[in-house]
Each structure stands twice: as C-alpha cells, then as structure tokens.
Amino acid sequence: QGKKAGRRQVVAFDPDMLGDERHRRFIERELRAALLMDELELYYQPVFDGQMRLRSHEALVRWRHPVRGTISPAQFVPIAEESDLIDKLGDWVLHRACADLDRLGTPVAVNISAAQLRRGDFARRFADVLAECGAAADRLIVEITETVPLVAGAIEQANLEALRASGIKVAIDDFGAGHASLQYLRGFAFDIIKIDRSYVANLGDNRIDAMIVAAICDIARSLDVEVIAEGVETEIQLDLLRRAGCSAFQGYLLGRPSPLAARQVANAA
Ligand code: C2E
Ligand code: MG
Ligand code: MG
Ligand code: MG
C-alpha cells in the first residue's frame, strides 16, 4: 500500500490542467485508483423530523487525495458520470453505507446519479448489495440527483419501481433546481421531495422563494409525499419552513456532515 501510494504521488497535480480534457482524464484515472486504495470516505449528515427527532442520515462521499487533499463530489461526480466509474462509485458508497447502518442507528440516504438509473440492471445490483450486507430495504433511501438530465424512460421507471417495491424509499433531490422538476412529478412514483437549498437560502427576505416553497409543500401534501428542506442554516429559515409545511429538515444549523467516527466520539462525550 505504502509503496503504491508513493509511486502515485509522482503524478503531481498541475492546477493549470483544471477544466480541460487532461484534467478530466487525470481525475478519472485517479478516481479509479482511489476506489481500490481506500481514499474515499462517507460523511453523514443528520436529518430531523418536525419534532426535531433524528430520523435519518444522508451519506455524502468525500475523496481524500494524497496530493490534492480533499476533493469535493461536485468536482468528481460529473466526471465519473461519463463512464462506468459512476457505477463503481455507487457500489462503493452503497456497500459502505450498508456496513455503517447499525452504527448510525437510523435509515440512511444514498445519492444516486440519474446516469446510474439508466442501467437496466441497476435495481437488481442494488438489491444484491443489500442482500450481501444483510441490510433491510426499509432502512434505505435513494436520493436521485440530476447532475445529468433525468429522463422518465422505461428503464428508469422500472428501476425506481423495483426499488420501491422492495421497500426502499425514493427521494427527488434538489427539487426546483433541475432541468424539469415538475415533469418528474408526472413521470415517477416517489416518496420524498427534497427542496433545493437555493430556495431556502433567501427565505427570510425573498417573498417569491417563500411562495415557491409553500407551493412545493402544497403539491407534496396533495401527492401524499414528504418534503425535506435542505440547506437550513438559520432559525428564521427553520421557522418559515415549518410554517410552510415541510416535514423534515437538514442543514448546518442542525448538523454538518461528519465522519461516523467523529459522530460516535461526539455521542460518547
Ligand atoms: P446533495 O445530495 O444535494 O447534498 C447536499 C449538499 O449540501 C452536500 O454537499 C452538503 O454537504 C451540503 N449542505 C448540507 N447542509 C448545508 C447547509 O446548511 N448549507 C450549505 N451551504 N450546504 C449544505 P456535498 O457533500 O459537497 O455534496 C454535493 C453533491 O454531490 C450532493 O448534493 C450530491 O448531489 C453529490 N454527491 C455527494 N455524495 C454523492 C454520492 O455518494 N454519489 C453521487 N452520485 N453523488 C453524490
Ligand atoms: Mg442528496
Ligand atoms: Mg445535489
Ligand atoms: Mg440536495
């Protein structure tokens, strides 16, 4: 391990590569290695219900690169989505999250790229991992993230139907920020809407955002699905979101993403 790591450090990172094709290939090659070399880690962020009881955790991937330091998923997920890397990353995340389920003590939400949903065998492979880990389906939530356009095609619908039939809950992530959020309400059956944090950020002073949030909560009530507000940073936002009818809350005000080890230390203290 040490020897291999030493050899990889010869591939020094050149910041000038940012944004170009060589950068993309660099990230892709390094991420393949990272998956084998245990450089990835899951952070968990708590989600609370209306009574401020801990209801679940969201798993958020982190990459500790030996040379570049911590790389954000916003930087490498879009590159992974261009190849089978996104499936390998997804497998790794799911295995890790299932292994952590008992210690978390709550259901866990994993992020799934729309690119993964296009694979015909996605739901079957997902179920295989759960079986391998002995994880109960009703302890898993899948958050569909639209970094590539999400299409309500037959394969996507079949995958989501199979997940839901097994007891897994499906959430539409970043609702309102996507290419066609309202279309998803028609095209997919799901259990949870996560309001994009861009609508939460200015809730105190932007009337339009407050109206949109209230409208999303109304739609969710009619559809009988839950609404989670993400990016809650202030008490004012929390209060407005509650009054608008959100059923659950996530954000720095309530808890930042952190490694499981740190959470256990905090709990023990
Ligand atoms: P997301 O799923 O919408 O996750 C929420 C993001 O908001 C996380 O960023 C989280 O750290 C951040 N966040 C949480 N609370 C607050 C807050 O109060 N204020 C602010 N400003 N930010 C907050 P992160 O961890 O950098 O992840 C970014 C995105 O990367 C995620 O957005 C998700 O789309 C994607 N991602 C993360 N992990 C995975 C993964 O395992 N697989 C896939 N496919 N995508 C992932
Ligand atoms: Mg998410
Ligand atoms: Mg997102
Ligand atoms: Mg989100």
Side-chain angles (χ1 to χ4, degrees):
Q1 145 93 46
K3 203 172 163 196
K4 271 193 197 150
R7 197 154 56 228
R8 287 185 58 215
Q9 297 199 5
V10 176
V11 188
F13 175 66
D14 171 3
D16 292 343
M17 293 197 296
L18 270 170
D20 72 9
E21 174 61 19
R22 281 196 308 152
H23 169 72
R24 200 190 60 73
R25 289 212 306 272
F26 171 82
I27 292 284
E28 193 183 322
R29 190 174 63 240
E30 291 287 296
L31 184 56
R32 269 184 214 285
L35 279 161
L36 299 174
M37 296 183 61
D38 217 27
E39 285 171 18
L40 297 178
E41 186 179 8
L42 285 187
Y43 275 35
Y44 293 99
Q45 186 175 29
V47 181
F48 297 88
D49 71 11
Q51 282 74 52
M52 290 300 130
R53 288 178 306 221
L54 181 62
R55 70 186 284 284
S56 58
H57 286 90
E58 178 175 4
L60 295 159
V61 71
R62 296 291 178 265
W63 179 5
R64 285 169 284 105
H65 189 278
V67 178
R68 289 188 62 190
T70 303
I71 305 177
S72 147
Q75 283 183 272
F76 64 85
V77 167
I79 294 171
E81 279 172 333
E82 292 174 28
S83 71
D84 65 324
L85 255 182
I86 192 66
D87 308 289
K88 295 198 161 66
L89 176 68
D91 279 355
W92 184 89
V93 167
L94 185 57
H95 268 107
R96 184 76 254 159
C98 287
D100 289 342
L101 257 179
D102 284 345
R103 271 174 295 164
L104 283 168
T106 67
V108 68
V110 292
N111 287 284
I112 296 296
S113 156
Q116 291 170 266
L117 266 194
R118 289 178 195 158
R119 319 285 194 221
D121 62 349
F122 174 75
R124 190 186 50 73
R125 290 204 354 258
F126 201 96
D128 286 349
V129 174
L130 262 56
E132 237 174 82
C133 303
D138 65 2
R139 311 207 68 204
L140 274 129
I141 302 158
V142 157
E143 297 190 2
I144 314 288
T145 309
E146 191 199 45
T147 30
V148 297
L150 172 60
V151 181
I155 294 178
E156 288 87 346
Q157 285 171 330
N159 275 324
L160 288 184
E161 278 315 309
L163 293 178
R164 293 185 76 230
S166 74
I168 296 164
K169 286 206 163 64
V170 172
I172 300 186
D173 208 348
D174 306 329
F175 189 83
H179 296 95
S181 292
L182 288 174
Q183 295 262 34
Y184 304 149
L185 301 182
R186 301 195 299 195
F188 292 111
F190 56 93
D191 308 282
I192 301 164
I193 289 175
K194 292 192 78 173
I195 299 183
D196 189 67
R197 72 164 183 266
S198 61
Y199 294 97
V200 174
N202 304 310
L203 259 191
D205 19 64
N206 189 321
R207 249 181 72 241
I208 303 289
D209 284 358
M211 282 163 54
I212 293 173
V213 167
I216 294 173
C217 290
D218 281 346
I219 293 174
R221 245 190 315 275
S222 312
L223 292 168
D224 198 25
V225 302
E226 263 191 284
V227 183
I228 301 179
E230 55 180 30
V232 184
E233 293 184 353
T234 68
E235 293 283 356
I236 294 170
Q237 289 165 355
L238 179 62
D239 185 51
L240 291 169
L241 290 161
R242 273 173 176 289
R243 283 196 269 162
C246 286
S247 36
F249 311 90
Q250 177 179 4
Y252 294 166
L253 175 70
L254 305 166
R256 287 183 178 256
S258 63
L260 187 56
R263 299 185 58 77
Q264 282 171 324
V265 170
N267 289 344

